[in-house]
């Protein structure tokens, strides 16, 4: 058994603030990936009044052995009220930046793209100042569905690579490394004004060279933002941790990624895909991009 090192300790959360956010989420009948995926940063993020909303769940049609979200082969139909309830939460929490993700819905023809479109539109209607980040599944390679999400105009399109190609069969048995790269490349080529983002988790048996090869692949397809974090085993039923990567290695990856041309690299043991995602607002100010409607005719 690999012993968890001291650098993975997190501060005890202020449960009063956590409880307030949880109460709001329960009142609106919403799920968060913070809770469903047993994120170690839940205390810090809830204390700050932020959350990553999980749509179309809480059950997922894929059973990835690293993930703590429940598996359900035939989940419930989509709830048409969910986009309105989620937009209401954004308003009540007065969020400047919101992250919207979902379970995989391989049972749906568009993978749930219509729900992403609806929630983006509702948030734009209710809270125009809020920047929107969507963390989407691979949609089984349905690029028409992806194009509909992009047309709705999120500020950031995030799709996680998760691991290195050699480990895909064990870690993401229903995923495809090339399909994930293709998705990110399409974002870059068709909507270059939308910031693209991806994440990798380490500690599953990959080598340093393999991680760096993934970083090179992500830059090759135009990925703007990269997150790298330590995999933590949610329970004894999930994949075990092979190594706890030292913070110095995470710092080295951050330096390397910046030299490769990523606009932002967030790399640390406790980094998760949406951890401190609100910092992208300063990045957008530093590296502004014009949408077609902003360009001169």
């Amino acid at each position: 058994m690999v012993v968890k090192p001291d650098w993975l300790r997190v501060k005890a959360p202020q449960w009063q603030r956590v409880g307030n956010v949880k109460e709001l989420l329960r009142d609106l009948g919403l799920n968060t990936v913070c809770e469903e995926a047993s994120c170690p940063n839940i205390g810090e993020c809830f204390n700050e009044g932020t959350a990553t909303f999980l749509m179309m769940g809480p059950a997922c049609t894929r059973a990835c052995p690293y993930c703590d979200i429940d598996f359900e082969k035939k989940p419930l139909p989509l709830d048409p009220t969910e986009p309105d309830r989620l937009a209401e939460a954004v308003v009540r929490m007065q969020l400047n930046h919101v992250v919207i993700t979902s379970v995989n819905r391989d049972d749906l023809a568009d993978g749930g793209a219509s729900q992403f479109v609806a929630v983006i539109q509702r948030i734009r209607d209710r809270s125009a100042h809020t920047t929107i980040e969507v963390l989407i599944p691979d949609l089984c390679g349905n690029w028409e569905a992806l194009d509909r999400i992009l047309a709705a105009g999120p500020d950031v399109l995030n799709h996680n690579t998760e691991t290195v190609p050699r480990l895909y069969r064990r870690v993401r048995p229903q995923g495809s490394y090339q399909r994930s790269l293709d998705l990110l490349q399409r974002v870059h080529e068709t909507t270059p004004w939308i910031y693209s983002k991806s994440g990798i988790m380490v500690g599953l048996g990959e080598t340093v060279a393999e991680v760096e090869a993934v970083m090179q692949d992500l830059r090759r397809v135009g990925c703007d933002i990269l997150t790298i974090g330590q995999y933590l085993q949610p329970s004894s039923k999930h994949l075990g941790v092979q190594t706890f990567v030292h913070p110095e290695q995470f710092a080295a990856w951050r330096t390397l990624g910046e030299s490769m041309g990523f606009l932002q690299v967030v790399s640390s043991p406790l980094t998760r895909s949406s951890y401190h995602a609100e910092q992208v607002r300063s990045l957008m100010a530093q590296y502004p991009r014009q949408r077609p409607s902003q360009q001169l005719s």
Side-chain angles (χ1 to χ4, degrees):
M1 181 179 175
V2 185
V3 179
K4 186 182 292 188
D6 290 340
W7 63 74
L8 283 169
R9 297 180 184 275
V10 296
K11 295 180 180 179
Q14 298 173 15
W15 287 109
Q16 181 178 1
R17 183 67 179 107
V18 172
N20 290 341
V21 176
K22 283 192 172 186
E23 183 178 347
L24 182 149
L25 295 171
R26 296 297 84 77
D27 180 48
L28 294 172
L30 294 169
N31 299 302
T32 65
V33 74
C34 322
E35 296 172 284
E36 299 299 329
S38 303
C39 179
N41 302 314
I42 185 172
E44 181 178 352
C45 293
F46 276 19
N47 284 336
E48 294 297 323
T50 64
T52 298
F53 295 101
L54 180 70
M55 296 197 308
M56 300 184 275
C60 182
T61 55
R62 297 188 188 180
C64 298
Y66 67 87
C67 184
D68 203 26
I69 294 177
D70 292 337
F71 167 72
E72 177 59 62
K73 189 174 182 179
K74 294 182 178 180
L76 296 172
L78 295 183
D79 184 342
T81 71
E82 184 175 51
D84 288 312
R85 288 183 285 110
L86 204 153
E88 175 66 19
V90 170
V91 171
R92 289 195 198 179
M93 294 175 73
Q94 300 179 323
L95 298 182
N96 290 320
H97 183 77
V98 62
V99 183
I100 310 297
T101 189
S102 77
V103 296
N104 281 278
R105 289 299 302 261
D106 295 340
D107 58 312
L108 302 173
D110 70 350
S114 60
Q115 199 80 334
F116 274 104
V117 171
V119 76
I120 292 169
Q121 293 173 340
R122 301 297 195 282
I123 293 171
R124 293 282 187 230
D125 291 342
R126 298 287 309 279
S127 186
H129 76 280
T130 302
T131 47
I132 301 173
E133 177 175 331
V134 291
L135 171 53
I136 68 170
D138 62 23
L139 306 171
C140 295
N142 183 338
W143 301 147
E144 290 184 3
L146 172 63
D147 290 346
R148 289 196 291 274
I149 295 173
L150 295 173
D155 297 285
V156 181
L157 191 293
N158 187 353
H159 173 69
N160 286 335
T161 317
E162 301 292 14
T163 189
V164 302
R166 178 175 58 85
L167 298 179
Y168 251 65
R169 181 170 293 183
R170 180 164 65 93
V171 177
R172 291 187 78 188
Q174 294 164 282
S176 162
Y177 180 71
Q178 187 58 51
R179 186 164 64 204
S180 288
L181 290 180
D182 290 345
L183 185 155
L184 292 163
Q185 184 168 14
R186 188 171 183 89
V187 176
H188 174 69
E189 291 179 349
T190 63
T191 52
W193 54 89
I194 293 177
Y195 298 82
S196 58
K197 179 177 176 179
S198 192
I200 310 169
M201 54 186 175
V202 295
L204 285 162
E206 71 292 323
T207 67
V208 170
E210 286 177 317
V211 172
E212 293 174 359
V214 172
M215 294 170 67
Q216 291 171 346
D217 285 343
L218 288 171
R219 279 304 300 141
R220 178 175 52 80
V221 298
C223 183
D224 296 309
I225 303 167
L226 174 66
T227 61
I228 308 176
Q230 171 70 51
Y231 167 69
L232 297 176
Q233 184 180 17
S235 76
S236 60
K237 299 181 295 182
H238 295 82
L239 289 176
V241 175
Q242 300 300 306
T243 56
F244 286 111
V245 178
H246 195 277
E248 290 181 359
Q249 180 60 65
F250 284 101
W253 281 325
R254 181 175 62 252
T255 300
L256 176 63
E258 291 169 349
S259 72
M260 287 180 174
F262 286 100
L263 299 184
Q264 182 185 53
V265 181
V266 184
S267 177
S268 72
L270 286 175
T271 291
R272 294 298 180 266
S273 185
S274 55
Y275 183 46
H276 288 174
E278 72 283 352
Q279 293 175 0
V280 77
R281 289 173 65 89
S282 61
L283 180 146
M284 292 167 65
Q286 185 177 0
Y287 303 100
R289 293 177 176 176
Q290 287 188 320
R291 294 175 181 267
S293 61
Q294 297 174 302
Q295 295 174 353
L296 296 176
S297 57

